[in-house]
Amino acid sequence: HIKVFIKIFFQLKNKFAVNASFFIIYNEKIIDILSEDFNSNLKLVEKLEIGVFVKDLTKFCCNNLNEMELFLKNALQKRSI
């Protein structure tokens, strides 16, 4: 969880950003936790160049550890709704 991001933020010395997403699979539906539309049913897609991913999944750009912690806190709160 957050330990992975702490390691990334402290080991890399160059400027960078981490794109984060948050989804759940419930009753065989993929639900984007960050989207305003919880009823959307996203699809898994496979591309040879990048592998398997969730199409149209919302991304949040985190530039530092504080932003990552805020992202996770908000995502976890939305998940419990």
Side-chain angles (χ1 to χ4, degrees), residues 43-75:
K43 305 291 182 210
L44 282 179
V45 176
E46 182 174 12
K47 290 193 176 181
L48 292 175
E49 308 84 38
I50 60 174
V52 178
F53 64 97
V54 178
K55 185 177 180 185
D56 299 326
L57 188 62
T58 303
K59 295 181 183 100
F60 181 80
C61 182
C62 303
N63 295 301
N64 58 52
L65 186 57
N66 290 336
E67 288 180 6
M68 179 56 66
E69 288 175 328
L70 181 62
F71 163 79
L72 285 173
K73 179 181 176 185
N74 290 337

Side-chain angles (χ1 to χ4, degrees), residues 29-32 35-42:
K29 291 177 116 179
I30 301 171
I31 302 166
D32 185 350
S35 171
E36 297 298 322
D37 182 14
F38 276 1
N39 295 321
S40 65
N41 185 20
L42 302 176

Side-chain angles (χ1 to χ4, degrees), residues 1-20 60-72:
H1 300 113
I2 195 73
K3 291 178 185 177
V4 172
F5 298 104
I6 291 171
K7 190 171 185 176
I8 290 170
F9 284 116
F10 285 112
Q11 284 188 347
L12 297 177
K13 304 224 185 309
N14 297 326
K15 173 88 172 123
F16 68 95
V18 173
N19 286 319
F60 181 80
C61 182
C62 303
N63 295 301
N64 58 52
L65 186 57
N66 290 336
E67 288 180 6
M68 179 56 66
E69 288 175 328
L70 181 62
F71 163 79
L72 285 173

